[in-house]
Amino acid sequence: MKRRSFLHRTGLLAGGASISSLAQRASATPTVAHFPKGKAEHCIYLWLGGGMAQVDTFDPKAKGDSSANPKKPGSEYDSIETAVPGLRFTEHLSRSAKLAERLTVVRSVNHHVIDEHAFATNLVHTGRIISGSTTYPSLGSIISHARGAVNPTVPAYILIGYPNVSRGPGFLGSKAGFVYLTDTESGPAGFSRPKGVDSERAARRQALLVPLSNRVVTDSVPAQYLEAQREALRLAGPEFMHHFNLSQESADLRESYGGEFGQRCLLARRLVQAGVRFIEVSHNLNFINGTGWDTHNEGQKNQHILIHELDVALSALLSDLEQKKLLDKTLVVVATEFGRPAAYDGRGGRGHQGTAFSMVLAGGGLRHTGSYGVTDELSKNVVENPVSVPDFLATIFATLGIDPHMDIYDGARPVPITDMGKPIEKLFV
Amino acid sequence: MKTPFLYFPPYLIVGVFFTLLLSFASAASETAAEAPSKNAPKTILQWKFDGAKEAGEWQGALGKGDGLQEGPLPDRYPGFEKGNKAGYFQDKDAFLVVKDRERGGSTDVRFALGDTFFFETWVKIKEIKPGETSYLIGKGRHGKLGVNLGEMNQNYAVRLKGANEGAEIGFLFTSIDPAQKGKRDWHRWTSKQRIPASGWHHLSVTYTFGKKDSLAVRIDNQITEGIWDMGGATDLGPVTDADDLVIGTGYQRSAAESFTGWLDNLTLSRGAPDPVELEKRYTFIPPPPPVNRQMIPTGQVLVQISEKGVPEANAWPEAPEVTESFTEDVFGLFDLPQKYISTGVRGDRANPCHIRASAVVTIPAGKHRILLRSRGASRLYIDGKQLLENPFPPNDPAGHHTLSMQDDYLDLGPGFRFAPPGNRDAWCEFTSTGGEQFVILETLIGGIMGKSKHRPELGETVVAISPEGSEHWSILSPGKRQVAYTDAGWNAYAQERRTRLDAMDTKARAEKRAEHAAYWNMRRKAAEEWLTKVTPISIPKLPEGYPAQNPIDHFIADRIVQAKEDAKLATSASVDYFKEVRPLLEAKCYGCHQGGKAKGKLRLDIHETALKGGKSDGPSVVPGDPDESSLILRISPDAGDDIMPPKEAPFTAEQIALLTRWIKEGAPWPQFDVKRFDMMPLAEDLVFLRRVFLDIVGVPPSEKEIAQFQNDPVESRRTLVIDRLLQDSRWADHWMDLWQDALAENPNILNPTLNNTGPFRWWLYESLLDNKPADLFVTELLRMEGSERFGGPAGFAIASQNDVPMAAKGMIVSGTFLGVEMKCARCHDSTTNVSKQRDLFELAAMMEQAAIQVPATSSVPLDRLQQTGREPLIEITLEPGANVEPAWPFPQFIKEEAASTLAENPQSSRDRLAALITAPENQRFAQVIVNRLWERLMGRGLVSTLEDWEKTEPSHPELLAWLGQELVRQKYDMKAIARLILNSHAYQRAVDPQLTETSPLFLATAPRRLTAEQIVDSLFSATGAPFDVEEFSLDIDSVRDLKNSITLGKPRRAWMLASTSNERDRPSLTLPRVQAVASLMETFGWRGARQDPVHHREINPNVLQSAILANGTVGVWLTGLSDRHSITQLALSVKSPEELVDRLFLRLLTRHPDAAEKESYTAYLENGFADRIVPESDRPKPAQAKHAPPLYVSWSNHLDGPANTLATDNQEAARLGDPPTTALREEWRKNLEDVIWAMLNATEWIYSS
């Protein structure tokens, strides 16, 4: 059997098995609605779990003061100019500011779910409120399902972070699932050989497997499993695993990306080159400030270090992609479950706010103008061009050339991939 | 309440009534000058909370007259009468407002310079947080909430200030200085003594304004000290104005300053009673000793559980009332027997709950060390004297504890067992004079935490002793049993006690069930009667040449013979129905013409209905006559606008020709896609044995179990092993996944928000252990009683963040128990099934026991239906906002009236629903249940779509009907049906390895993909590698409230896992070991988060499955030969490499190696076999670790940097697994590991044969 068709049949890697059936179904249900069609091939989805404070990052407002009595709401930091005239970020995003022409801060994202991390995280990943009658797939799974991997010999969807149902394939099933790694050191679960197993020992082990495998009747279901097993063992070999070897990059480049989060971004770029379709990168590191992006109370104090880390990694990623001529075909997204209010909490941190917050789109061949949508003077409400979560996801899908109204099937039930999301037309030339 | 005689001595009563009358009747102004002398106090306000109208009005949500609850009662409080009521003040939800006389009030509540203020009340605190100040009474300072006179106008206020275990008394007023232009100032006095946090107490405050030293505050008759800590004492008078007097809350009426508790006999007087009198106000007769030496069985610890008389407060109850007791051997507690309610489902105990353990212990003379350890607050008494105490648990630090706080721990010598997370220690030296001493340990579990509660856990509640002269500790014991209080000692003890508790629980459930025997006997009788009325399904005669082990085989053989007949016709035709015709119909027609809701009432998926045709065109297929077959007419291009399919690409000419030819040839339509009718023989013994173990208990047999089977007589060994396994408690473990999936059991260990349920797994598990009859099982589920958060069926009722939880549950119930698919009906009428949205909502309303209003979010907006411009596939016939009353939506199965005679409580719509589903008349239920058992054991359902019987027809309708009746005959015993199936020849036949799915005639079964649970459990069970994952909780030290965090215990089998609740994506909130197992299971189709029910899991092979087995963390644990791995022991004990290989095969794969395998592995292990064992003297001694408790990460400290680092270290440690054994030489050990690796990656772990 040819590798391509095999990979499709044994699932997981490409998700392309469903393309033919999708095509059939698509022809059965012609869509009338127009959608702008982007040409991006890959998506890197940077996840800022906890809720990035838009007023302290991409949507700066007049400066506040948490030590005043009463506390004065506002941004924590000074703002600076960016490469886009009139557009300002906070001072800790100085590198990204220089690249502002290559990105669009969507400042008017909003939702109304309760301020609870798990629930909002689920919404921003699936675009839907949970229903109890099905489990919705994440955008990574939808994109993998719709487009498969760019290179059919690698997985379509890789997650650098922790597995959870919000990131999972839901009703699409494991074919649309992810391969995950929790850090750049340990490599992808299932493909990194355990310590003490070098390639020689692995070969000996595989030889020992032969008599057992020989008992399996050809053309049987267990034989299909054996095929998948052979493929898995191949992936554990150098041909695939070298993509995860960051030491193949120059020291300068590695350094320019910064710490572990930056290294994850660099790995994401390598995976783009390897032909992975969708990579989610979690910025959940070290809790430098105690709380990560969930900057309640004292978590606010060292928030600038987190922002700085994001700035270094994001700017390095965008520059690197651009230099390698990958930026136009790679959509980079900075996403988070909600924002935070300009007002301070009792101990000088910030609570949660879903009614207005920022997410970032960069590269992907979109027509970037630095920002989209406007919030009021304390970024509490959207005053111009509101973007719902389904709209935001629809924009990502459209950038990757996927019709945001496309149906996917939960058994026999058609489920549009977004809940009536409309892409931000302005971003498409 | 009635006036208690002690409270108002007789000589005063007249006066009291007189002044009361006077104050209500007259509005005459009373100034300080007119105040009665201090010996003749004048009552101006008195709330007795007995329902009588008094000055002031109840306010707030709770304040509408239902604020009366039980007050102080005799005999404990002799001043009160039976039935006495008190006022209940819940937070800001209840308070009293008394208007100033100037604003229409009936009495003068102002106190001016020279007035003697006297306030008294009985008070019982429910909850007060440390530092919080709540108002008992306050006049003025109400700002806009009052009459807008500003906020510096406090005439007077008596407040409570929360402290540890009680509350300080505060007296507060605003002074006014006429000499300084009316300058106002605050004056605050705070007591040193406290009102205890539990029980009724008496409080009085006497103060004469203008006399700075006149303040006298008494708690329970005793004057308490205190200081003026703000503004100092003053001779100035107070501000008086027309602002309100408010009882029970403060100036902002917020929760923080509102009193939560009870007040009684609250009195405000001008002028104070005689001080001598005041010292008699509080009368209390302590309860008799709750336990005495005579009650204690010799040599035993008596454990008494008190659920009554324990107030909802973080305080010691005055008179806990024992509701249950049992005995223990020693003073070591970690769990209580479960509390069961109703027919034996887990309930919740009162929270908090008081536990007392008492024993007469002989403690030799000497100076010993004594340790008291507990999770809840605890106290230890010896011979009536309190020796030690542990405090109430701390509040949730919201993640801000630091790891370094764990550097502070109690270490009392070598081998000392450190306090596990979330337990507190106290110790002392105790001098015994020798002989018997009466020891009492009491503890409170659970407790109040804001509006929620602590989890009711004992943690490790222990009294331990280290006798004089010894370094070692043992658990205090009144008898012979000695338990060393070391890690090993405790673990062995806890394990043994766990078994005992389980047995106690089993017995308790049986007793509860027995209480309902009358009703269930009636049900059994009704079922028997029904059986006498229906025509029994007759068992067909066995066709010649077919094997049979029981009636099932008769049905199966009979069907094969029929199918053979059908097939004869088909084989004579040139067109293959299954290869050519059906795929075409499936692709082009089934979309609309399949199942119960076929368009135009035309079903093309069933032979009979295709012949009959739909409502418009006449017969669809007329065998032999294509011209008369409307199918051909409608698909041909001549059909014009009527052409089918209406929108998709039309049939091609070739396709039409094919169908025409097929019809011409007689339209052969065999029911089964079977060409060969040869039946597989019985599987070999060992193959059968492995299969039957996996199917009944979920794991393969051990070497011992294999030997036991082989020692049984050949003719009966199969029946014997089936009977043995059906008695095995592992049955319950193995069948969990079916119900967890079908019922969408979806607990979350952290903040449940993702359509989560309670962990009703524990009820499921106990139901399986008890082999509850199916009808009782369903009845308990539908009653949804018991504990919501700790494992009762009430947990099933929960669907967090769901707009109509009961609609979600109705959908689950209809699919799982009736084979009626209602998923679509959740938001609109079903497109493919007959169920309408109203049907589902009627069912939901039955479960809700009330009408349900359809929310807009449970409907599809019309604009969405039209959005794509195509004809909407779905219909909405139930308007959002409609009110749907409870009603039985399935009259086709049984008439609703039947519930009136069959339900235990016909008034309850849940009981009615349960009766209607499980009634014998409703054979749909019985058949759905047997079909589930059949599918699980045979690999294919008699109705293949388990949850949707509209979609497919039964392959063996007679067998299904017979099994359904059999279930009734067997008193709904699911194991009895399983036994039937397992004993059939059909089940015991050999697998045909080339089949991709089991033969619909059950001639042979296909290799069956094992479930994720079977795979994981089998791997661990067979290798003996420890299944050692973390306690499944992100709050192991129990600081969070029970609504936000639970523990799922320490999993010992795969079904005990669940979602790791990792949405926060924080390294410090991971459970790396659980995650490793969960990741493996998820690749095999298990779901940690079960937001919706699943009836068929995904079973296709994928790359990640074998990858994660080959290289993943679990693979490392399974292959790594550590000292804890049981193959290490095997390797040390065998005599030859041949023996090792033989036994490995038997142990792991339940078979003998074939020649190639034996040769290959023996050769690999031969080299170095002889000197594989490292002599004990040469083994490196394990490094002596510092004696210190292991550090832990939990919610309490997860925001701390070092805690985060520890979490990532733990991940790394999990990846590495246990260190390798030093007993085997490294090189040879590695070779053996390679062999094990190969054997564990064989497909035999994935597919059952």
Side-chain angles (χ1 to χ4, degrees), chain A residues 10 32 116 130 135 162 166-167 174 180 190 201 204-205 208 212 215 220 229 282 284 290 294 419, chain B residues 753 755 864 868 993 1063-1066 1079 1092 1098 1102 1107 1151 1154 1157 1161 1164 1199 1211 1233-1234 1241:
Chain A
T10 50
V32 211
E116 205 278 333
I130 44 157
T135 307
Y162 293 103
S166 300
R167 289 166 163 166
S174 56
Y180 79 95
R201 193 172 178 203
R204 281 203 302 278
R205 285 181 165 194
L208 287 167
L212 288 156
R215 292 169 59 96
S220 64
Q229 186 176 61
S282 172
N284 61 354
D294 193 19
D419 194 5
Chain B
T753 50
N755 206 48
R864 189 162 313 186
T868 53
E1063 263 66 24
R1064 277 163 190 72
D1065 210 21
R1066 297 177 183 166
S1079 290
D1092 55 331
E1098 229 188 310
N1102 70 52
R1151 65 177 175 91
D1154 63 27
E1157 289 163 338
Y1161 299 150
Y1164 200 72
L1199 295 175
Q1211 285 181 46
E1233 287 175 352
D1234 294 343
N1241 282 281

Side-chain angles (χ1 to χ4, degrees), chain B residues 129-179:
Chain B
K129 293 198 184 85
E132 217 168 79
T133 303
S134 57
Y135 275 72
L136 293 179
I137 188 168
K139 182 169 187 323
R141 205 191 179 187
H142 295 296
K144 286 179 187 161
L145 295 168
V147 290
N148 216 351
L149 291 164
E151 288 177 0
M152 270 193 94
N153 66 332
Q154 188 93 70
N155 188 175
Y156 50 84
V158 179
R159 315 189 298 178
L160 298 181
K161 185 177 178 197
N164 287 329
E165 294 169 44
E168 293 158 354
I169 315 296
F171 180 68
L172 177 77
F173 71 98
T174 321
S175 66
I176 185 159
D177 189 350

Side-chain angles (χ1 to χ4, degrees), chain B residues 1173-1181 1222-1223 1225:
Chain B
I1173 301 175
V1174 178
E1176 223 155 311
S1177 53
D1178 294 356
R1179 295 177 199 168
K1181 298 278 166 289
T1222 53
R1225 290 203 195 282

Side-chain angles (χ1 to χ4, degrees), chain B residues 213-356:
Chain B
D213 297 329
S214 66
L215 184 69
V217 174
R218 288 175 174 83
I219 299 171
D220 296 342
N221 304 342
Q222 301 295 315
I223 287 248
T224 80
E225 296 166 45
I227 49 161
W228 289 95
D229 54 5
M230 182 194 277
T234 180
D235 287 333
L236 291 170
V239 174
T240 57
D241 58 25
D243 211 346
D244 295 337
L245 168 69
V246 175
I247 299 171
T249 189
Y251 56 102
Q252 288 180 321
R253 291 175 197 175
S254 67
E257 58 193 32
S258 298
F259 170 65
T260 296
W262 298 263
L263 299 176
D264 202 4
N265 285 11
L266 179 150
T267 306
L268 189 63
S269 304
R270 216 175 292 283
D274 191 283
V276 178
E277 213 38 63
L278 275 177
E279 271 151 37
K280 294 177 187 161
R281 286 293 210 239
Y282 176 70
T283 55
F284 171 63
I285 297 173
V291 62
N292 56 48
R293 286 187 187 221
Q294 284 67 46
M295 292 162 70
I296 314 279
T298 312
Q300 294 278 298
V301 179
L302 175 68
V303 184
Q304 296 165 306
I305 303 170
S306 298
E307 291 192 60
K308 288 189 186 159
V310 185
E312 290 202 344
N314 291 330
W316 289 103
E318 302 157 80
E321 204 178 306
V322 176
T323 48
E324 208 178 317
S325 59
F326 64 102
T327 59
E328 264 301 346
D329 290 350
V330 297
F331 280 92
L333 301 172
F334 58 91
D335 205 356
L336 295 174
Q338 286 292 331
K339 174 175 177 159
Y340 293 100
I341 62 157
S342 191
T343 43
V345 302
R346 283 191 179 193
D348 285 327
R349 291 187 187 281
N351 185 342
C353 174
H354 181 266
I355 315 296
R356 185 191 299 114

Side-chain angles (χ1 to χ4, degrees), chain A residues 15-35:
Chain A
S18 41
I19 289 176
S20 59
S21 54
L22 269 177
Q24 269 175 18
R25 278 174 162 144
S27 69
T29 54
T31 6
V32 211
H34 148 85
F35 80 97

